[in-house]
Amino acid sequence: MAKAITQRKDNYSQWYLDIVKRAGLADHSKVKGCMVIKPTGFAIWENMRDELDRMFKETGHVNAYFPLFIPKSFLSREAQHVEGFAKECAVITHHRLMNDPNGNGVVVDPDAKLEEELIVRPTSETIIWDTYKDWINSYRDLPLLINQWANVVRWEMRTRLFLRTTEFLWQEGHTAHATREEAMEEALQMQRVYAEFAEEYMAMPVVKGIKTANERFAGADETFTIEALMQDGKALQAGTSHFLGQNFAKAFDVKFLNKENQQEYVWATSWGVSTRLLGGLIMTHSDDDGLVIPPKLAPTQVVIVPIPKPGPEIGEAAEKVMKALRGRGIRVKFDDDEKNRPGFKFAEHEMKGIPVRIGIGKRDLEKGQVEIARRDTKEKTFVPIDEAAAYIENLLAEIQNNLFERAKQFRDDNITKVDNFDDFKEAVSGNGNAEIESWGGGFVSAHWDGTTETELKIKELTKATIRCIPLDNEKEEGQCVLTGKPSGQRVLFAKAY
Amino acid sequence: MAKAITQRKDNYSQWYLDIVKRAGLADHSKVKGCMVIKPTGFAIWENMRDELDRMFKETGHVNAYFPLFIPKSFLSREAQHVEGFAKECAVITHHRLMNDPNGNGVVVDPDAKLEEELIVRPTSETIIWDTYKDWINSYRDLPLLINQWANVVRWEMRTRLFLRTTEFLWQEGHTAHATREEAMEEALQMQRVYAEFAEEYMAMPVVKGIKTANERFAGADETFTIEALMQDGKALQAGTSHFLGQNFAKAFDVKFLNKENQQEYVWATSWGVSTRLLGGLIMTHSDDDGLVIPPKLAPTQVVIVPIPKPGPEIGEAAEKVMKALRGRGIRVKFDDDEKNRPGFKFAEHEMKGIPVRIGIGKRDLEKGQVEIARRDTKEKTFVPIDEAAAYIENLLAEIQNNLFERAKQFRDDNITKVDNFDDFKEAVSGNGNAEIESWGGGFVSAHWDGTTETELKIKELTKATIRCIPLDNEKEEGQCVLTGKPSGQRVLFAKAY
């Protein structure tokens, strides 16, 4: 039997890392803060990307590709944007290496210094709006609804596989509109698309909300977010959609002739999700036996294990079941490895999160049945072999649903309403849950006086930040938990990734 | 009517550029040598990528993702590799900008200098083989069949949209094998996959061959290539597959325990095609009216134009035809723009290379027919509306086939066998074809004595290089066109992109 992984209650961070490594999802690389996404991890990302891409196209967007490099001067054009990104970026200063005159390998060629330094894109608003200037002349050119799948780089000091890495993969939508209303509706639409993807495909419940001024994207007038809760009671910002107003249009002088024949600045949005979602996916569903992934995103949805080992009869039965499953569009593999025993294989497939396992043994075959085990609940049952494919098609839908409901129940159970600062501190202190060593406290729903000053003070005192002002908030008169000043609605606080 | 583009005979380079811009495929960016791939261009690339990805997966490969950055010292590990790439690379030296103390925007923070410079990957052999060292222990871990879709950067001085850009998109396969034979077969297999893709999907005929030592990839023992001929008589290297021997395994100390229980260095291949293929696609088929693309890769395969303008009856007929076409998996659009006249639309859709145009007019509808025009030959015909979808499905296949046959005929017509250096010079001088102002001379099949010295001398004298030693070469005794020394086979020379 393979060595067990760290248990959540003992060391949640190590549990996460163990799963990422043991399930073959990613690895650290020799380049500080950069990860290698391994084939299994990348296959999950491909499934996520394909679904998102379909959803973007269904809402009228097209893909394009913009340069990796951003001239240094572009960053400075939008004042808040440069504040947000200049402190952690990769700067290209030269374009050639040469042999070291002293014979120590290669060194930078001092004669190949760039006139202007280039930044590896941390996000592409600047290079894209510089391009849009050439593409937009009149209202007839609008809206421009473009998305890009790309790698970006932010020089992070503390990194964590998928959740925070120096280089990561993402998509960034950048749209241009003739009116404020249309741009605002686009930003909200994409937040809805993200929420739908998170809940329908990742089975990860999210809260849709608005970021406070302090937590806004650098250069945005409004940032909409989807926030999820991980099993250690910490929040994960899973996707953001920004209403950029006319900030980038003004910075890059992008005007259009409106229907009234007047020059006007263009209205903008941008929105993105990244490989960080993989971290959220892992932490939402997995357990102490390894990865759990929802069937809709699983590269392999069903694995067939011969018991005790492959043979002609079992092989024939497996072929039959596989054909029936594939006929229903189900992704199935036959584990015909002869080296390892079934017990070892069971543990490995559990570790890798394959949603359904079929065991085919000789004795079962004589009875015309196979054993079907689901990864999420560990339940097993015997099913007539001819009914296996239909049974599994339903089972996969049930697992998908169960994972979402389970995660939603957990999330809902871990939203605490508090009305004074002692209760607030108690809620986020982590004492509320002895199960997890580093328990974050879950979401805390509390009144806040609306000032950045109070927000930062609460963060300083408790490490909890305002994750969002939920969109579906009910109005409720109350008093700020810290200052006692009047407040018209509750906001969601949490410690966050 | 829109302004016509430059004609091939007058200025082939400008004709190419006109098509790239007017068909909305790509644009220059403000970043030197980097391009913006526009939505239409990117949609073609997506179709190419999806087909290639399917072919890679069918031959047992999986995708993964490796870091964008390569530590400078990694490049030096393989002697030829560093020679090949160090002279044109983007070097990252710092990880932070700061506000200029003098108030001039942002400047590089001198305190944020990296201990070791990072190179933006020009290709990923080094970072990948450093990773494979951790993944490979025994023959059980082999073969490793991994592909990556990524952006790479080579600091080019003279760039040309798609054909040669500083940043480009590509895929790079990197495989590891237990035996020389298996690695060699893998390299040859991927050359066959590339050739099949080029001919079946791009309708671009290619010669499969071997590169001479002088034209080999930096670090390879053998480079296999597919070479195409453009309409100006110049060759385009369209894809390469490298047998790397044990060079990178030795450079990164990657050994495995073989079946005989002995430590042995791993055998390797790498192979790649890039957005350069888009340049080849454009130049193989397009004409003086604009882009021509084979139906299998066209984002829009059929466009319906209402004549003279949209209306309820025409709209209804268009819906019916579209439904029938989509039922056959055909990508169709209805151009219901009210602003422009049919003549303008016809020219625009020709410029953009949409393979089939359907004209629907009121008078034709009364006769129960529509007009169908094909982009490749400009032929038009009337077809009963109920038969339009079936007719077009066949027509698309016929266009795909016609484009390939036409390109193949052109290629075959432009392979000249020569047996002395005067004829060689005459063939590559460009005098042979008065049609194209900058005629390259086509492929020249000639005997060569097998030395790099002769190869370089011929290049110096004529600008023609050896594109490849064709794989299907017949053995033929002859004499080198330059030196008269004995030679056992002809090789293909050409001026090349």
Side-chain angles (χ1 to χ4, degrees):
Chain A
M1 195 75 90
K3 188 171 153 283
I5 57 172
T6 305
Q7 305 293 285
R8 279 167 291 188
K9 64 175 172 50
D10 296 331
N11 186 337
Y12 187 86
S13 299
Q14 189 59 45
W15 165 79
Y16 173 75
L17 193 61
D18 282 357
I19 288 182
V20 171
K21 298 220 163 183
R22 291 283 300 280
L25 304 179
D27 242 340
H28 295 287
S29 81
K30 294 282 165 62
V31 185
K32 196 171 165 309
C34 291
M35 65 180 160
V36 173
I37 306 179
K38 298 178 79 170
T40 304
F42 201 81
I44 301 172
W45 175 244
E46 283 181 318
N47 287 346
M48 295 169 81
R49 186 195 63 188
D50 289 351
E51 291 300 339
L52 282 164
D53 198 66
R54 183 187 53 72
M55 293 171 94
F56 298 157
K57 284 173 178 162
E58 280 175 9
T59 44
H61 302 87
V62 291
N63 288 330
Y65 188 77
F66 297 86
L68 172 65
F69 299 140
I70 294 178
K72 191 191 68 180
S73 59
F74 278 29
L75 267 193
S76 325
R77 298 257 199 111
E78 214 287 333
Q80 293 184 312
H81 196 69
V82 66
E83 273 300 309
F85 293 104
K87 284 170 204 145
E88 42 179 49
C89 61
V91 188
I92 294 157
T93 55
H94 292 74
H95 65 81
R96 191 164 58 232
L97 298 174
M98 57 183 252
N99 288 318
D100 182 3
N102 302 320
N104 295 320
V106 287
V107 293
V108 174
D109 183 343
D111 291 339
K113 194 168 189 307
L114 297 181
E115 273 182 48
E116 179 181 6
E117 295 88 348
L118 297 172
I119 310 304
V120 180
R121 63 181 163 219
T123 180
S124 301
E125 277 78 7
T126 58
I127 188 83
I128 287 181
W129 278 87
D130 179 70
T131 308
Y132 281 1
K133 184 174 166 58
D134 297 333
W135 293 1
I136 298 170
N137 290 301
S138 101
Y139 70 91
R140 288 198 183 86
D141 301 319
L142 297 172
L144 209 49
L145 303 172
I146 294 183
N147 175 62
Q148 143 168 299
W149 291 94
N151 52 346
V152 285
V153 169
R154 298 174 188 180
W155 207 270
E156 300 282 354
M157 284 300 116
R158 268 162 302 194
T159 60
R160 210 159 181 189
L161 290 172
F162 292 126
L163 296 167
R164 193 175 292 278
T165 49
T166 294
E167 181 192 16
F168 55 93
L169 303 184
W170 81 343
Q171 60 68 219
E172 45 182 325
H174 295 271
T175 69
H177 305 266
T179 66
R180 180 182 216 289
E181 293 65 36
E182 192 184 294
M184 186 61 91
E185 175 43 35
E186 166 77 8
L188 285 163
Q189 169 187 251
M190 298 323 291
Q191 182 192 36
R192 287 195 298 273
V193 165
Y194 287 157
E196 186 187 328
F197 173 75
E199 301 200 332
E200 300 266 310
Y201 290 88
M202 297 176 65
M204 180 174 80
V206 293
V207 176
K208 290 201 289 283
I210 305 175
K211 286 287 184 189
T212 61
N214 178 56
E215 296 273 341
R216 239 176 241 152
F217 175 74
D221 280 359
E222 202 76 91
T223 288
F224 302 101
T225 182
I226 57 170
E227 300 280 331
L229 191 67
M230 303 294 100
Q231 291 185 62
D232 62 348
K234 289 188 187 133
L236 183 83
Q237 176 180 307
T240 49
S241 177
H242 315 292
F243 169 70
L244 302 173
Q246 296 174 314
N247 300 336
F248 286 92
K250 285 178 180 165
F252 289 87
D253 193 30
V254 188
K255 291 179 186 166
F256 72 104
L257 204 63
N258 66 20
K259 284 188 184 170
E260 289 73 41
N261 221 24
Q262 288 172 323
Q263 290 286 330
E264 192 181 338
Y265 284 113
V266 177
W267 298 86
T269 83
S270 67
W271 28 276
V273 295
S274 74
T275 36
R276 166 170 248 223
L277 284 180
L278 271 162
L281 187 76
I282 296 161
M283 289 204 295
T284 299
H285 304 297
S286 301
D287 61 24
D288 290 339
D289 293 319
L291 184 65
V292 175
I293 22 175
K296 284 187 184 177
L297 297 177
T300 303
Q301 297 170 307
V302 179
V303 62
I304 301 178
V305 178
I307 300 169
K309 58 181 186 186
E313 274 172 79
I314 290 176
E316 205 176 297
E319 280 302 330
K320 196 174 142 192
V321 174
M322 283 198 284
K323 201 180 157 197
L325 286 169
R326 289 188 180 132
R328 290 168 189 263
I330 294 167
R331 301 183 284 274
V332 57
K333 270 195 184 162
F334 182 37
D335 182 352
D336 60 353
D337 175 299
E338 309 221 351
K339 216 166 57 235
N340 295 309
R341 312 260 323 154
F344 178 90
K345 291 182 179 180
F346 290 178
E348 276 305 297
H349 297 313
E350 279 184 2
M351 180 69 72
K352 294 189 170 163
I354 298 175
V356 171
R357 181 185 77 224
I358 306 177
I360 305 187
K362 265 198 176 172
R363 223 169 306 167
D364 294 331
L365 275 187
E366 282 162 16
K367 295 187 207 160
Q369 65 184 18
V370 294
E371 189 190 49
I372 293 176
R374 53 192 283 187
R375 173 67 183 86
D376 59 340
T377 61
K378 307 284 185 76
E379 287 164 340
K380 295 178 197 175
T381 186
F382 288 97
V383 173
I385 189 160
D386 292 334
E387 294 168 24
Y391 179 86
I392 285 173
E393 186 171 13
N394 285 329
L395 182 59
L396 290 171
E398 193 186 314
I399 293 171
Q400 181 81 27
N401 187 56
N402 177 54
L403 289 177
F404 177 74
E405 292 300 332
R406 195 164 82 175
K408 188 163 184 300
Q409 188 65 54
F410 172 83
R411 195 271 312 269
D412 292 344
D413 287 348
N414 287 290
I415 303 181
T416 313
K417 274 193 185 183
V418 300
D419 288 311
N420 63 64
F421 202 57
D422 282 341
D423 289 353
F424 186 99
K425 283 187 290 186
E426 172 69 18
V428 300
S429 71
N431 300 337
N433 189 320
E435 290 292 309
I436 300 274
E437 151 265 357
S438 55
W439 178 250
F443 283 125
V444 178
S445 175
H447 280 280
W448 159 64
D449 65 17
T451 69
T452 299
E453 190 190 350
T454 300
E455 186 180 2
L456 293 176
K457 187 74 189 169
I458 293 176
K459 182 177 178 184
E460 185 194 322
L461 293 170
T462 67
K463 290 189 180 147
T465 52
I466 300 179
R467 302 321 303 151
C468 70
I469 305 158
L471 276 191
D472 63 357
N473 245 4
E474 285 168 27
K475 296 290 159 200
E476 181 194 287
E477 295 304 315
Q479 295 175 324
C480 174
V481 278
L482 187 72
T483 64
K485 289 183 188 161
S487 146
Q489 62 182 350
R490 289 174 182 274
V491 299
L492 279 188
F493 286 86
K495 290 179 185 163
Y497 277 94
Chain B
M1 197 74 91
K3 189 171 152 278
I5 56 172
T6 306
Q7 305 294 285
R8 279 166 290 186
K9 65 176 172 50
D10 297 330
N11 186 336
Y12 188 86
S13 298
Q14 189 60 45
W15 164 80
Y16 173 74
L17 194 60
D18 283 356
I19 289 182
V20 171
K21 298 220 164 182
R22 290 283 299 280
L25 304 180
D27 242 339
H28 296 287
S29 81
K30 294 283 166 63
V31 185
K32 197 171 164 311
C34 290
M35 67 180 157
V36 173
I37 307 180
K38 297 179 79 170
T40 305
F42 201 82
I44 301 172
W45 175 243
E46 282 181 317
N47 287 346
M48 296 169 80
R49 185 195 63 188
D50 289 351
E51 291 300 340
L52 282 165
D53 197 67
R54 183 186 52 72
M55 294 170 94
F56 298 158
K57 284 174 178 162
E58 280 175 10
T59 44
H61 303 87
V62 291
N63 288 329
Y65 189 76
F66 296 86
L68 172 66
F69 299 140
I70 294 177
K72 192 191 66 180
S73 59
F74 278 28
L75 268 193
S76 325
R77 298 255 198 112
E78 213 288 332
Q80 292 184 313
H81 196 69
V82 66
E83 273 300 309
F85 292 104
K87 283 170 205 146
E88 42 179 50
C89 61
V91 187
I92 295 157
T93 55
H94 292 75
H95 64 82
R96 190 164 58 233
L97 299 174
M98 57 183 249
N99 288 319
D100 183 3
N102 302 320
N104 295 319
V106 287
V107 293
V108 175
D109 183 344
D111 292 339
K113 195 167 188 308
L114 297 182
E115 273 181 50
E116 180 182 4
E117 294 88 348
L118 296 171
I119 310 304
V120 180
R121 62 181 163 218
T123 180
S124 301
E125 277 77 7
T126 57
I127 188 83
I128 287 180
W129 278 87
D130 179 70
T131 309
Y132 282 1
K133 183 174 167 59
D134 297 333
W135 294 0
I136 299 170
N137 289 301
S138 101
Y139 70 91
R140 289 198 183 88
D141 302 319
L142 297 172
L144 209 49
L145 304 173
I146 293 183
N147 176 61
Q148 144 168 300
W149 291 94
N151 52 346
V152 285
V153 169
R154 297 174 188 180
W155 207 270
E156 300 282 354
M157 284 299 116
R158 268 163 301 193
T159 60
R160 210 161 183 187
L161 291 171
F162 293 126
L163 296 167
R164 193 174 292 276
T165 49
T166 294
E167 182 193 16
F168 55 94
L169 303 184
W170 80 343
Q171 60 68 218
E172 46 182 325
H174 296 271
T175 69
H177 305 266
T179 66
R180 181 183 216 289
E181 294 65 34
E182 192 185 295
M184 186 61 92
E185 175 44 33
E186 165 77 8
L188 285 162
Q189 170 187 253
M190 297 324 290
Q191 182 192 37
R192 286 195 300 273
V193 165
Y194 287 156
E196 186 188 330
F197 173 75
E199 301 200 333
E200 299 266 310
Y201 289 89
M202 297 176 64
M204 181 175 80
V206 293
V207 177
K208 290 200 291 283
I210 305 174
K211 287 286 185 189
T212 62
N214 179 56
E215 296 273 341
R216 239 176 241 153
F217 175 75
D221 279 359
E222 203 75 271
T223 288
F224 302 100
T225 182
I226 58 170
E227 301 280 331
L229 192 67
M230 304 294 101
Q231 291 184 64
D232 63 347
K234 290 186 187 135
L236 184 83
Q237 176 180 306
T240 48
S241 177
H242 315 292
F243 169 71
L244 303 173
Q246 296 174 313
N247 299 336
F248 286 91
K250 285 178 181 165
F252 289 87
D253 192 31
V254 188
K255 290 179 186 165
F256 72 105
L257 204 63
N258 66 20
K259 285 187 183 170
E260 289 73 42
N261 221 25
Q262 287 172 322
Q263 289 286 330
E264 192 181 337
Y265 283 113
V266 177
W267 298 86
T269 83
S270 67
W271 30 275
V273 296
S274 74
T275 35
R276 167 171 247 222
L277 284 180
L278 271 162
L281 187 75
I282 297 160
M283 289 204 295
T284 299
H285 305 297
S286 301
D287 62 24
D288 290 339
D289 294 318
L291 184 66
V292 175
I293 22 176
K296 284 187 185 178
L297 297 177
T300 302
Q301 296 170 308
V302 179
V303 63
I304 301 177
V305 178
I307 299 170
K309 58 182 183 182
E313 274 172 79
I314 290 176
E316 205 177 299
E319 281 301 330
K320 196 173 141 192
V321 174
M322 283 199 284
K323 200 180 157 196
L325 286 170
R326 288 188 181 132
R328 290 168 190 264
I330 293 167
R331 301 182 285 272
V332 55
K333 270 196 184 161
F334 182 36
D335 181 354
D336 59 355
D337 175 299
E338 307 220 353
K339 216 166 59 237
N340 295 308
R341 312 259 325 151
F344 179 90
K345 291 181 179 181
F346 290 179
E348 276 306 297
H349 298 313
E350 279 184 0
M351 180 69 72
K352 293 188 172 165
I354 298 176
V356 171
R357 182 183 76 225
I358 306 177
I360 305 187
K362 264 196 177 173
R363 222 169 307 168
D364 294 331
L365 275 188
E366 282 161 17
K367 294 187 209 161
Q369 64 184 19
V370 294
E371 189 190 49
I372 293 176
R374 53 191 282 186
R375 173 65 183 89
D376 59 339
T377 61
K378 305 285 184 75
E379 287 164 340
K380 295 178 198 176
T381 186
F382 288 96
V383 173
I385 188 161
D386 293 333
E387 294 168 23
Y391 179 86
I392 285 172
E393 186 170 16
N394 285 330
L395 183 59
L396 290 171
E398 193 186 313
I399 294 171
Q400 181 81 28
N401 187 56
N402 177 54
L403 289 177
F404 177 73
E405 290 302 332
R406 195 164 81 175
K408 187 163 185 300
Q409 189 64 54
F410 172 83
R411 195 269 314 268
D412 291 345
D413 287 348
N414 287 291
I415 302 179
T416 313
K417 276 193 183 181
V418 301
D419 289 310
N420 62 65
F421 203 57
D422 282 340
D423 289 351
F424 186 99
K425 284 187 288 186
E426 173 70 16
V428 300
S429 71
N431 300 337
N433 188 321
E435 290 292 309
I436 300 275
E437 151 266 356
S438 55
W439 179 249
F443 283 124
V444 178
S445 175
H447 281 280
W448 160 65
D449 66 16
T451 68
T452 300
E453 190 189 350
T454 300
E455 185 181 1
L456 293 176
K457 187 74 189 169
I458 292 176
K459 182 178 180 183
E460 185 193 322
L461 293 169
T462 67
K463 290 186 180 151
T465 52
I466 300 178
R467 302 319 304 151
C468 68
I469 304 157
L471 276 191
D472 63 356
N473 245 4
E474 284 167 28
K475 296 289 158 200
E476 181 194 285
E477 294 304 315
Q479 295 174 325
C480 174
V481 278
L482 187 73
T483 65
K485 289 182 187 160
S487 145
Q489 62 182 350
R490 289 173 182 273
V491 300
L492 279 188
F493 287 86
K495 291 179 185 163
Y497 277 92

